Each structure stands twice: as C-alpha cells, then as structure tokens.
Amino acid sequence: MGHWTCRLCFRVADSLMLLLVLALSCDPSTAATASPPVPHIKHSYSFGRTFLGLDKCNACIGTSICKKFFKEEIRFDTWLSSHLKLPPSYLLSYSGNYTDDAKSWRLVDITRLTSKYQHDRADKRICTSLLKTKTCSLEKALRRTQRFQKWLRAKRLTPDLVQGLSSPMLRCPSQRLLDRIVRRYAEVPDAGSIYMDHLTDRDKLRLLYTLSVNSHPILLQMFPDVEGWPFPRYLGSCGRLAVSASTQPLRDFYSAAPEVATDLALQLLAILHSMGTNDLNYFFYFTRVDSGTFGVFSNGHLFIRDASTLGIIDKEEGTQYRLIDGQQDYKDIFSCLTVDCQSAFVSCDSIGEKHSLVMVCQELLPKLLKGKFPQHVQEKIDSFLQRCANGLDGDQGFNEAVAELGDILKPLRSCDSRFAYRYPDCKYSDKY
C-alpha cells in the first residue's frame, strides 16, 4: 500500500511541476527575462532617383525595367551585401547581375547613354539656352521646342523630324528605317505599328531624347539578337540607365592564345560581311571603332558591344533626306546634347563597302593578331593588314579582301570546348 501511495505522490508532484512551468512561461515578467528570438531582417537596397536618372524623366531613356531595380532583381557586382554603397555615379558602365526567379542569376551590362558629366553639361545647356536659367524642368523646356511640337503633331516618324540629330544611324534615314524604329520601340506597352498613335507625349519625348543622345539602345531594339543580329539583348531601361546582356570587351582578348585570336578575327570578318549583306538590305557602317566596340560572350561568341557609332544606309529605299551641296543642316538643342553643333558628318555618298574593314584593319586586328603565329604566317597577316589599313588596292573589293585574310586564318582555327558557341558542331562540319 505504501508503495502505491508513494508512486501516486510522485505523479502528483510531476503534474504540479508541469503546471508551474506552464505558468511561468505565460507570466509576462518571466518572459521578459528570456532571450528573444532573432528576427529575420530583410535588408533593403536604396537606389536613389538621382543615381538612376529618374529625377530627369521624361528627358531619359525609359522606365521599363525600374521594378527590377527596386525589387533587387538587378544588382551591381560590387553591391551584393547590404553594407555596400552604390557604385560611383560618374562611371559610364557597370557590371551587374539579373534574375527572373531570385535563384539563377546572369551577368548584365548596366550603361549610361553618355557620362554623367556630359549628361549634366547637356542638362545645363538645355536650361541656359531655352529658358535662360541655370536650373529648370528639363521636360518643360524641351516640350516648348519647335522640334518636339512637330513630334507631338506627327502621326508617323518622318525624315524631317530627325534632321540634324547627331546619331550616325539617322544621318542617311529612309522611311522604312524610321518605321522600324517606331514599330520596334520597346519602352512602350503597345508596339508593332508604324504610326505613333500608341506613343504618349511622354513616350515621344523619351524616344526623341534617346535618339538625340545615343541611339545604342534603339539599335538593340530594332535588330534583336533572337533574329540573328550581332547585338547583345536589350533588357530594358530605368531613367538614364540601360540594361543589356553582358559581354567582355575585345581589348581583354588582345593577349589571348593564337587559336582564340584567330577565332575572334574570323568572327569579326563575318560580322562585317553581314553588315553589308543581310535579308533586310540595310548597309551598316562604323563611323568609329575602338577596343570596346566589340564584345565577347562567355561562350566565345563575338558581338557588337557598342552600337552608338553605327550608321545605316537603306539599300532598298535609298535616302529620303539628303543635303544639297552648300546647304546647311538643320540644328537645334537636340542636335547638341552630346556633341559640338559644329561637328562635320561624313556624307552618305562617300561611304563605301570597304569603309568599316579599313577601320578594323587600322584599329583592332593588328592588336589582336600581332606576334601570335609562325613567322611565315605572321608575315602574310602583317602584309595584308598593312595594305588594308592603307585602303587596300584600288581594284580589290571588300569580298576579295575578306576572303584573302580568311584563307590565311581558317587553317589556324581549332575546334574544342573553348569555343562553346560552335562546339561540338564544328567536329561534324566541313565549314570549320
């Protein structure tokens, strides 16, 4: 009996102890002494409107990708931790990361149309020349201009509306080319028509501003990579920043192995050929090339990284607007946002098919191919590049010149995993 009584006492004691623990856990004074759980803090990244250039809209590129920035789905490479500040605003471009699912990230280039210094200088020029003040509402000032008033009334983008703009793409415009700009303009929700009815006043100002400062993002929209054009993919814009697929500049490959340099040189020749011979019958030419004009994707594929110096001549329709000898080109504030208004432009009639090849032979190929090959091969390459840089022989055409250099380089090309864009296809093709 005593044994059972003792066991009962222990059970009662256990129950009392459990009740006491529960009571203590519910007592506010007792709970205050316990260690609080560690909260999950979501760090917020702060972009400022000034850094993005949103404070200058609608004198900006667009806003199609702003949500990606504010939702932290676009991040700068040096800005992946909450304690890091934004990169310097004076840089012309930034390397970034882009995601659609917050799990997989891909590299992107985040670029300004021009340097912040040039932007600020252009903004000041707008205010002082149009409103005679040091600061002003850029949008209000530009809306008052004669050119923009013509844009507001226009149903279709015509050559007279872009006359005098500094973009090389617009120096020899055809109506077919201008229709393509409007139809492919990606900063509006309803594109696809050659008429500007779906563009609001705000959209028209953004398009005019972009064409006046730097036509690079417009070219990426007009000739997308998914259709086979040699440009990186345009992903969108926010304020005065544009986002596109990332490429590594060609200058980073000047010291590359001979096989890599050979492959890039042959791709460069192929791009130049496609610029003059394509299904749409447009002739692309460069007004200037440098070590950042071309870029290379991670799979080894070469693309035009900077399209701002590209001019376009319509071989199908010709040029609807052409200056008569002695006639002065129309100039206004939009003509002078990034260049000197007195700058002379190359005449459309003076552009030949060898124009871009000669530039590439002068500026890029010597740096890419210098001192890479056996002596007898190197001598052939150097000899060709010297003739090419001097304008080629009078009777040698573009196709013949490209074929001559191609014949020297093709036997030097290799087929392995370093060239992922064409491997393993090259193992089973006589083309390589």
Side-chain angles (χ1 to χ4, degrees):
M1 182 71 179
H3 174 74
W4 289 105
T5 302
C6 185
R7 179 176 293 182
L8 180 62
C9 290
F10 280 125
R11 288 182 176 178
V12 171
D14 289 343
S15 299
L16 289 173
M17 183 61 72
L18 178 61
L19 290 172
L20 178 62
V21 171
L22 291 172
L24 286 173
S25 66
C26 295
D27 184 6
S29 62
T30 307
T33 62
S35 299
V38 179
H40 177 69
I41 301 175
K42 185 178 186 299
H43 296 291
S44 177
Y45 299 93
S46 175
F47 275 97
R49 289 173 58 84
T50 302
F51 180 85
L52 293 169
L54 278 171
D55 58 324
K56 303 297 176 64
C57 282
N58 291 302
C60 62
I61 317 175
T63 56
S64 61
I65 209 166
C66 286
K67 287 183 179 179
K68 285 280 187 183
F69 278 104
F70 293 122
K71 290 168 65 178
E72 302 170 25
E73 293 175 347
I74 295 178
R75 299 182 179 182
F76 294 94
D77 264 358
T78 56
W79 196 56
L80 295 178
S81 300
S82 60
H83 68 279
L84 294 177
K85 297 180 180 180
L86 285 169
S89 60
Y90 59 79
L91 296 178
L92 190 59
S93 63
Y94 312 88
S95 180
N97 294 273
Y98 175 103
T99 185
D100 287 316
D101 55 15
K103 296 177 182 178
S104 58
W105 294 79
R106 52 190 164 124
L107 291 175
V108 293
D109 289 332
I110 305 168
T111 57
R112 300 184 185 278
L113 293 187
T114 186
S115 69
K116 190 174 186 301
Y117 168 76
Q118 287 177 300
H119 268 312
D120 292 342
R121 196 168 138 193
D123 294 344
K124 185 177 180 180
R125 187 183 296 126
I126 292 170
C127 293
T128 55
S129 63
L130 296 180
L131 297 183
K132 311 303 179 185
T133 59
K134 291 184 178 180
T135 59
C136 69
S137 165
L138 299 177
E139 180 171 355
K140 187 178 294 184
L142 293 176
R143 278 178 173 272
R144 294 181 179 180
T145 61
Q146 182 180 1
R147 187 190 294 265
F148 186 66
Q149 288 301 313
K150 289 177 67 177
W151 273 63
L152 288 179
R153 296 189 297 269
K155 293 293 185 182
R156 193 173 182 182
L157 187 60
T158 51
D160 62 297
L161 295 177
V162 298
Q163 180 186 352
L165 297 185
S166 62
S167 168
M169 180 183 72
L170 300 173
R171 297 307 301 168
C172 317
S174 69
Q175 188 58 59
R176 186 170 71 112
L177 180 69
L178 298 179
D179 287 344
R180 190 174 183 86
I181 292 175
V182 175
R183 194 170 63 247
R184 295 296 185 96
Y185 186 43
E187 288 298 317
V188 294
D190 181 25
S193 171
I194 63 172
Y195 297 102
M196 296 198 290
D197 297 336
H198 61 288
L199 270 64
T200 64
D201 294 357
R202 175 197 66 191
D203 298 328
K204 289 182 178 180
L205 181 57
R206 290 178 180 177
L207 177 57
L208 173 56
Y209 180 84
T210 307
L211 290 172
S212 302
V213 177
N214 187 331
S215 58
H216 171 77
I218 303 298
L219 267 158
L220 267 55
Q221 296 166 47
M222 293 169 64
F223 304 101
D225 66 311
V226 293
E227 295 179 3
W229 298 97
F231 301 106
R233 181 167 302 181
Y234 176 77
L235 298 172
S237 297
C238 184
R240 289 180 169 178
L241 293 178
V243 183
S244 59
S246 177
T247 57
Q248 193 174 351
L250 185 63
R251 59 176 168 267
D252 293 352
F253 294 85
Y254 285 164
S255 59
E259 299 84 8
V260 175
T262 298
D263 185 77
L264 293 174
L266 287 168
Q267 287 191 72
L268 190 48
L269 295 179
I271 287 179
L272 294 181
H273 182 267
S274 69
M275 289 169 58
T277 306
N278 52 75
D279 292 341
L280 294 184
N281 223 9
Y282 287 120
F283 175 70
F284 297 79
Y285 65 94
F286 286 106
T287 56
R288 186 185 73 255
V289 296
D290 57 38
S291 57
T293 300
F294 293 88
V296 184
F297 281 129
S298 57
N299 65 357
H301 209 170
L302 184 75
F303 276 68
I304 297 174
R305 188 172 191 256
D306 179 7
S308 63
T309 63
L310 271 181
I312 304 178
I313 296 175
D314 191 337
K315 295 196 294 183
E316 187 172 302
E317 286 192 1
T319 300
Q320 270 80 56
Y321 168 72
R322 192 183 299 269
L323 284 178
I324 303 172
D325 291 341
Q327 179 184 354
Q328 293 296 316
D329 200 353
Y330 175 81
K331 301 285 186 182
D332 66 355
I333 189 64
F334 290 100
S335 310
C336 315
L337 291 182
T338 57
V339 297
D340 180 1
C341 278
Q342 307 304 316
S343 297
F345 295 100
V346 178
S347 167
C348 303
D349 297 324
S350 66
I351 305 297
E353 61 175 4
K354 295 185 284 189
H355 179 87
S356 296
L357 177 62
V358 171
M359 282 185 161
V360 167
C361 287
Q362 292 171 339
E363 301 293 333
L364 304 182
L365 288 178
K367 299 172 184 175
L368 186 64
L369 301 176
K370 182 179 180 181
K372 295 279 178 72
F373 308 98
Q375 184 176 356
H376 69 285
V377 176
Q378 191 69 56
E379 288 175 354
K380 289 182 180 179
I381 293 173
D382 293 344
S383 174
F384 172 85
L385 294 180
Q386 184 64 47
R387 287 190 292 109
C388 180
N390 292 330
L392 296 170
D393 300 331
D395 59 346
Q396 186 176 27
F398 170 80
N399 291 329
E400 293 81 1
V402 169
E404 180 182 345
L405 182 57
D407 289 341
I408 300 173
L409 294 176
K410 285 177 182 177
L412 306 173
R413 181 168 52 178
S414 64
C415 177
D416 58 62
S417 57
R418 286 177 296 175
F419 313 106
Y421 78 96
R422 60 179 174 88
Y423 182 83
D425 294 350
C426 55
K427 291 178 65 176
Y428 310 104
S429 174
D430 295 335
K431 177 182 177 183
Y432 298 102

